[in-house]
Amino acid sequence: MNYYNEIKNILIDNAIGRKVREYKSNQKDLESYYNVGKLLVEAQGGEERAKYGDGLIKEYSKRLTTELGKGYTTTRLMYMRSFYLLLLKYPTLSDKLKNINVTWSNVCEILKLKDTIEIGYYLNASNELCFSTRELRVNLERDIQLEI
């Protein structure tokens, strides 16, 4: 028995399993936050009224934080709403998200952009280059400075 190869194979299997779990977790996060965004827009009376429904989001944020713990800030709920609205308006981005592995943190950084071509570009870049959120921020800042 080659103990080294056995050890190596176990560690490789573990690393692959971890990546699969991370991918599934990221996909579940994105799906959940999309659905929360959809419900927020509906609760606010639709897309047009969503702009004026910040009071409802503040209320939900307080209640969710009290009942579920930190992580449900007004800003985070607004990102969920923005995420839903973006994918509602641009279904091709929605298709891309089904097949890529990006984190919610990266999505939040990308949602700060206004141009859908840029959004699509950075979603692809985050996926293909496996950007951490920090690496994504550095690239966004660099590209913004290049535009100026």
Side-chain angles (χ1 to χ4, degrees):
M1 170 180 263
N2 185 331
Y3 290 103
Y4 173 80
N5 283 337
E6 289 295 317
I7 291 168
K8 181 176 143 186
N9 289 336
I10 290 170
L11 294 174
I12 288 171
D13 286 347
N14 184 53
I16 291 169
R18 185 180 310 117
K19 288 291 183 190
V20 169
R21 286 188 304 275
E22 287 173 9
Y23 175 80
K24 287 181 180 179
S25 174
N26 288 339
Q27 289 298 316
K28 183 62 178 167
D29 285 349
L30 295 178
E31 180 184 329
S32 296
Y33 300 150
Y34 170 88
N35 288 327
V36 168
K38 180 180 180 181
L39 292 172
L40 287 169
V41 169
E42 289 175 6
Q44 292 171 321
E47 183 179 344
E48 291 78 31
R49 294 197 52 205
K51 299 172 199 157
Y52 307 105
D54 291 346
L56 184 67
I57 286 183
K58 287 178 186 173
E59 176 194 335
Y60 284 6
S61 173
K62 287 179 188 173
R63 290 173 61 188
L64 289 167
T65 300
T66 300
E67 294 175 26
L68 301 177
K70 65 181 183 174
Y72 302 99
T73 64
T74 301
T75 302
R76 190 163 192 186
L77 293 178
M78 290 176 130
Y79 275 128
M80 291 177 198
R81 180 181 72 188
S82 296
F83 181 56
Y84 167 74
L85 292 173
L86 175 74
L87 296 183
L88 184 67
K89 290 179 185 175
Y90 303 101
T92 55
L93 289 177
S94 177
D95 293 339
K96 284 182 184 178
L97 282 174
K98 291 177 186 172
N99 299 314
I100 64 174
N101 183 29
V102 295
T103 64
W104 175 247
S105 297
N106 282 14
V107 169
C108 289
E109 289 297 319
I110 293 167
L111 281 174
K112 294 174 185 175
L113 301 170
K114 302 297 178 208
D115 185 304
T116 55
I117 293 171
E118 286 182 338
I119 290 170
Y121 171 80
Y122 282 107
L123 283 173
N124 284 332
S126 290
N127 180 54
E128 291 174 15
L129 302 173
C130 300
F131 282 155
S132 67
T133 305
R134 186 183 151 300
E135 290 169 326
L136 175 63
R137 280 187 196 130
V138 167
N139 280 284
L140 285 168
E141 290 170 6
R142 183 201 67 223
D143 292 348
I144 288 169
Q145 288 176 354
L146 289 175
E147 290 175 8
I148 295 176

